[in-house]
Amino acid sequence: MATTNGQPSIRSALSATRQAFIGVAVLSAVSNILMLVSPLFMMQVYDRVLASHSIPTLAALSLLAAGIYAVLTVIEILRSKVLLQIGRRLDEQLSEPSILATLAVPAAGQDGASSAPLRDLDQIRQFMSGPGPIAIADLPWIPVFVFLLYLFHPLFGLAVVAGAVVLLSLTLCSELLLRKPSKQAAQHLANRWELTEAGRRNADTLRAMGMREAFAKRIESVHDKYTAENLRSSNLTATFTAIAKIFRLALQSGILALGALLVIDQLASAGVIIAASVLTSKALAPIEMATGQWRNFISARQSARRLQDTFERIKPETAEMQLPMPSRSLSVAGLAVAAPGSGKVLVQNVSASLFAGQGIGIIGPSGSGKSCLGRALTGAWPAVKGTIRLDGAELSQWHSDRLGPSIGYMPQNVELFAGTVADNISRFSSSATPEKIMEAARLANVHDLILSLPNGYDTQVGAGGGTLSGGQRQRIGLARALYGTPFLVVLDEPNSNLDAEGEEALASAVTAVRQKGSIVIVIAHRANMLKVVDHLLVITNGAMTAFGPRDDVLGKLKTRPDEVRRTA
């Protein structure tokens, strides 16, 4: 992984491919030198062979040219392959941080539509593997060809310099005109992808409530914006490419006409006319190619900036000391939580302490910040103020991958991942064993339910767990949260999709995991879940208003347990 000061860096990744770029430059140098065979061959044919009518000379020149062209073919193939390897190397250096950044974008406060690290990486890799770098590598050879033309006659050199200035001006214009539409097209494309993916995930809801046509129009609106911007940039690219191509052809014809005048005035030979025309084409070809590739260059440059900005927004985890797994206590002091990337505090003034085996219910009106607090306690959302400590150490003192097995989290909306039931319960761990998977299932009282599925633990759940009911997903999500008997378990409305049997199994699971020494936090809207906890924390309007033993808090609220849900 290419890093700078502990953060992934595109510049460092490019530096790692420096030797390969030097190889491309060397191959480009040899290629451009060998390209001289064409004008020199034509000069010799016109000035020597036609004048002497010598077949052996023509045969010798032809064999020599054929050999050089064969070598040139190998060099061009090698140059293309090296560029493909450069693209692969960049992907190797940046794919892991890009994937991690994709998963961390919401937690970093970035909209997925404005930051798609993997798509940006694809754009960079495609440009670096394509003809764009070849054009850049050929650009330094333009003065060499101009100098050779100047040796034929100064007028040839001046004409090509004037042509190069015109083509470079076209490239500069394309840079100025394509920058904005390319950026907007990329934004609209990302928005379209986000909407389409959201529609796919919620296809049943859209169909059931007759929303498909309305939602399709929303996607179509974004698609039309993308198409318009893409068409605009494509039209500009096509226009500049066509102008550059026709101008180069016209300049070649002008060089032929100029050569004819020089021959008439006996200032050049007939072979020089053809050689000058070929050299003119070769001198201007890199600029023409660069003009055609400028749109891709701009897109790659914008992708690189977005990707680097994403890397910089996501703070690297600095925990290096491997602390023992927590097993004793959870303490929260003066905690304030805001949505990632937002300065608005959603929960504040939360302080509480729990010890192994204890359970706490978090209650409060809808929208009071209960789920926000739950995300913060798991480390999914950072604390903007205050501390969250396990066994006296703040969460930041653990690397998330090391602390993860000690955390069990069941979000409000359980979404499983494509794979088997066993894969989801084991959190896709490569070290998972059937015994540990079934232990978690039995702890969640879902083992028998899983066995009733068509293929048991090997049942494919589909994308998002779409082949299962809401209750089944929730119970398997509970088993995933309890896998490995984590020390801290946070359950956000764990019974929202459960029937009476499911709720009884859930209550039994919470009791069992507490008996194993885990701290269980239940964000509840139903009063019957409060019987499995011994503490309550009340949040109202984003602030903690009460915390303590369950019965004491309920007494202060002056309400019976079966009425709690009306205040929750």
Side-chain angles (χ1 to χ4, degrees), residues 404-470:
S406 295
I407 302 291
Y409 178 50
M410 182 177 169
Q412 198 169 25
N413 297 312
V414 176
E415 184 169 334
L416 303 180
F417 303 100
T420 66
V421 171
D423 290 335
N424 277 274
I425 292 177
S426 68
R427 308 183 185 186
F428 293 89
S429 172
S430 58
S431 60
T433 62
E435 291 76 17
K436 289 184 65 177
I437 293 172
M438 286 188 286
E439 180 185 1
R442 289 192 175 97
L443 193 58
N445 292 298
V446 74
H447 176 70
D448 292 336
L449 183 152
I450 295 173
L451 293 181
S452 69
L453 296 175
N455 295 307
Y457 283 89
D458 293 323
T459 300
Q460 294 286 336
V461 303
T467 63
L468 304 175
S469 69

Side-chain angles (χ1 to χ4, degrees), residues 43 144-161 254-269 271-273 275-277 279-280:
M43 280 184 63
V144 175
F145 295 117
V146 172
F147 177 72
L148 291 175
L149 285 166
Y150 186 86
L151 292 180
F152 288 160
H153 196 279
L155 290 179
F156 286 135
L158 293 175
V160 174
V161 168
I255 291 293
L256 289 173
L258 176 60
L261 287 175
L262 294 174
V263 171
I264 291 173
D265 292 338
Q266 297 183 348
L267 297 175
S269 65
V272 169
I273 300 177
S277 177
L279 280 175
T280 299

